[in-house]
Amino acid sequence: MMNKDFPKDFLWGAASAAIQIEGAYNEDGKGLSIWDIADKKRIKNGDTCHVACDHYHLYKDDVALMKEMGLKSYRFSISWPRIVPEKGKINEQGIKFYVDLVNELEAAGIEPLVTLFHWDTPVWVQKEGGWKSSKVIQYFEEYTKIVVDALSDKVKWWMTLNEPQCYIMNGYMQGVHAPFKRDYLGLNKLTLNAMLAHAKAVKIIRQFAKITPKIGIAMASGAFVPNDESNEAIEIARHKTFNEGIGLLGNGWWMDPILAGKPVKAYGIYHTSKKHLKEIQQPLDFVGVNVYQPFNNAPWGGDPNQKLVGGPKSSLGWTIDERVLYWTLRFVYDRYKLPVLVSENGVADNDVICLDGKVHDPQRSDFIHRYLGQVKRAINEEVPVIGFQYWTIMDNFEWAEGYEPRFGLIYVDFNTKRRVLKDSAHEYSKIIETNGKTIN
Ligand code: BGC
């Protein structure tokens, strides 16, 4: 097979989310999100997201670091409560922050990739039922319109929701993320509302964007890695990838209705109604996949017969097995025939600033090479992969895990807010500089 290069306009970048890096949780007219008011007892070490990396104040320095690293693109999310702090109110200062950020990125030659929702539901929306109430659909639509009006002269790349399966599963089923609910019976309604909100947002972006948009969604994805590469093993893994995986919620549950307009037959009849499916399946330009570990022995389920025994783990105990990235790209493309963006992929390590003042993180550099090798394999096999967003640009607030897990390319001292580029950031720069020529 011909050894193909990464495409010329490949979106090399790194990702973040508003609540995880911005801080300034109650400044300049921002409203509160469900994470801002999270009970400290629910978060490791009683950490809060209130200051985080203070990116809200330090964004210029951060963009300068991105430029130094040679990033071609940067995926970030907009804080809904910073834009709409209360029902019916628009916060111009909040809008200004993102306009300034986009301008700063533009000046640095970095393409912005905007995610509209990365889990920070405004408290006022939650008070009206949050994602359980169908009112969220209209509220999200209105918020999307405000953001599109403000940013779409410069922003081309849009993602509606980040990992609906996670914020619904973790926030409303297992009660480990805000709003810390256990509402298993609400699953159908929650799923339907998220899907319809996504669909409305897509329509708004298409209708009002000033420059022709590229629209997608970022899915918590992943795959079962086949036992071997025989056709039989691949088909078994493919089947499991769409039907099992994240507990009850395999890839199929979320992706089939949104990306293929196909009903999910296994559970209930809620979003299988023709009317809903027609609405939910809006044409998309790409699908984003957030990929971390194979489903084979993931903590949320897995298959004992396909366990990958031993092997390397991240500091969070997540299995490191790069093959998951190739199989996710392969399976998702085969099924939905859409260009695929790796919208998140990365690893948490126990990083420290060493005596020489640097952060030596060889495991992360190795991780990036390994996983990108699998992206290359997919590209070689004609899967249209359009970009790779390392998770995450800088160490940040890792939800209920607080500040301990460090996923960043940039080390953040959370006491002083000082940033240090890790060795892996320099390694990633070299990869980008050669457009991936150093990847095997
Ligand atoms: C989320 C990120 C999170 C990362 C690591 C993804 O599921 O989108 O916000 O920090 O995983 O846990």
Side-chain angles (χ1 to χ4, degrees):
M1 188 169 302
M2 213 177 78
N3 198 6
K4 290 178 115 194
D5 287 333
F6 283 84
K8 268 205 207 65
D9 48 0
F10 194 71
L11 293 164
W12 295 104
S16 73
I19 210 84
Q20 294 182 269
I21 64 167
E22 284 180 6
Y25 81 109
N26 62 356
E27 286 182 46
D28 294 344
K30 179 179 169 293
L32 296 176
S33 77
I34 53 173
W35 280 95
D36 296 314
I37 59 160
D39 181 349
K40 282 186 165 198
K41 288 200 237 60
R42 303 280 199 161
I43 299 175
K44 206 161 182 186
N45 304 318
D47 291 340
T48 77
C49 58
H50 293 172
V51 181
C53 310
D54 203 19
H55 171 75
Y56 185 78
H57 296 113
L58 300 175
Y59 76 93
K60 287 192 179 182
D61 299 347
D62 291 334
V63 173
L65 288 173
M66 292 174 207
K67 186 175 178 190
E68 187 182 331
M69 285 168 56
L71 296 194
K72 306 271 187 224
S73 62
Y74 169 52
R75 174 180 176 229
F76 62 96
S77 81
I78 311 274
S79 157
W80 184 357
R82 200 181 283 293
I83 303 292
V84 189
E86 285 168 37
K87 191 171 175 175
K89 197 167 162 188
I90 300 178
N91 179 26
E92 294 299 338
Q93 282 171 289
I95 294 177
K96 183 177 180 306
F97 169 69
Y98 295 106
V99 170
D100 290 348
L101 173 61
V102 167
N103 286 339
E104 197 72 17
L105 288 167
E106 185 184 40
I110 299 170
E111 181 82 39
L113 275 56
V114 165
T115 307
L116 287 165
F117 178 72
H118 199 129
W119 307 356
D120 45 356
T121 310
V123 168
W124 68 264
V125 174
Q126 192 61 42
K127 281 195 179 139
E128 298 202 18
W131 290 87
K132 181 75 183 291
S133 160
S134 46
K135 286 191 237 168
V136 75
I137 302 164
Q138 188 199 328
Y139 295 150
F140 191 65
E141 186 182 10
E142 289 164 1
Y143 153 69
T144 300
K145 173 74 168 55
I146 300 166
V147 177
V148 168
D149 285 348
L151 301 182
S152 68
D153 54 338
K154 297 201 169 150
V155 171
K156 171 168 133 189
W157 295 89
W158 299 89
M159 275 157 269
T160 55
L161 308 177
N162 181 71
E163 300 188 349
Q165 49 275 73
C166 280
Y167 72 84
I168 285 179
M169 182 85 164
N170 292 333
Y172 287 86
M173 307 276 112
Q174 296 184 334
V176 292
H177 277 185
F180 305 104
K181 301 225 181 279
R182 280 174 178 272
D183 181 10
Y184 285 93
L185 294 178
L187 177 61
N188 283 359
K189 186 86 182 117
L190 288 155
T191 304
L192 180 60
N193 289 342
M195 288 184 179
L196 289 173
H198 152 81
K200 290 277 187 210
V202 174
K203 280 181 153 175
I204 291 285
I205 303 167
R206 284 258 186 259
Q207 190 180 346
F208 295 102
K210 294 169 199 159
I211 53 175
T212 308
K214 296 276 189 192
I215 311 174
I217 180 169
M219 291 290 188
S221 198
F224 274 86
V225 173
N227 280 350
D228 56 56
E229 298 210 358
S230 65
N231 283 344
E232 196 197 349
I234 292 172
E235 289 321 310
I236 291 172
R238 188 195 303 275
H239 177 80
K240 285 167 173 286
T241 294
F242 291 97
N243 295 291
E244 299 172 25
I246 309 177
L248 273 178
L249 310 182
N251 283 309
W253 175 271
W254 289 94
M255 291 193 184
D256 280 359
I258 291 178
L259 303 177
K262 280 209 303 210
V264 175
K265 291 198 189 105
Y267 316 99
I269 49 159
Y270 72 100
H271 59 47
T272 59
S273 90
K274 283 215 177 93
K275 184 180 134 247
H276 284 146
L277 281 170
K278 205 162 165 261
E279 176 72 17
I280 287 167
Q281 192 209 6
Q282 294 299 320
L284 294 179
D285 303 294
F286 70 97
V287 54
V289 291
N290 295 356
V291 181
Y292 289 89
Q293 49 180 339
F295 288 176
N296 305 53
N297 54 346
W300 53 74
D303 176 349
N305 299 319
Q306 279 202 296
K307 254 196 187 324
L308 305 166
V309 180
K313 294 257 195 306
S314 79
S315 69
L316 275 171
W318 297 6
T319 299
I320 297 172
D321 185 328
E322 63 272 20
R323 293 173 301 169
V324 64
L325 190 46
Y326 166 75
W327 288 107
T328 304
L329 294 167
R330 167 98 270 153
F331 288 158
V332 167
Y333 178 63
D334 284 352
R335 195 169 175 103
Y336 304 113
K337 298 284 180 248
L338 276 174
V340 196
L341 169 74
V342 180
S343 37
E344 283 182 28
N345 173 242
V347 65
D349 271 329
N350 292 313
D351 304 313
V352 291
I353 301 185
C354 298
L355 283 175
D356 62 5
K358 298 184 177 163
V359 180
H360 303 297
D361 58 341
Q363 278 95 339
R364 182 171 290 103
S365 296
D366 184 64
F367 178 99
I368 292 173
H369 273 272
R370 281 173 186 277
Y371 278 71
L372 278 172
Q374 301 292 310
V375 175
K376 179 114 192 239
R377 177 177 175 193
I379 291 172
N380 272 325
E381 295 178 19
E382 311 290 339
V383 177
V385 188
I386 58 175
F388 178 86
Q389 299 292 312
Y390 178 82
W391 182 269
T392 170
I393 183 66
M394 67 186 93
D395 297 337
N396 61 36
F397 176 73
E398 175 55 28
W399 310 107
E401 297 294 325
Y403 292 99
E404 269 179 25
R406 292 182 176 273
F407 276 90
L409 292 168
I410 301 171
Y411 182 95
V412 177
D413 176 330
F414 291 105
N415 296 306
T416 62
K417 306 297 176 250
R418 187 176 147 230
R419 276 85 158 128
V420 179
L421 289 186
K422 298 180 190 176
D423 287 357
S424 58
H426 296 296
E427 187 58 35
Y428 192 39
S429 297
K430 282 193 229 153
I431 295 171
I432 297 173
E433 209 181 309
T434 63
N435 198 34
K437 286 232 164 26
T438 52
I439 298 298
N440 294 308

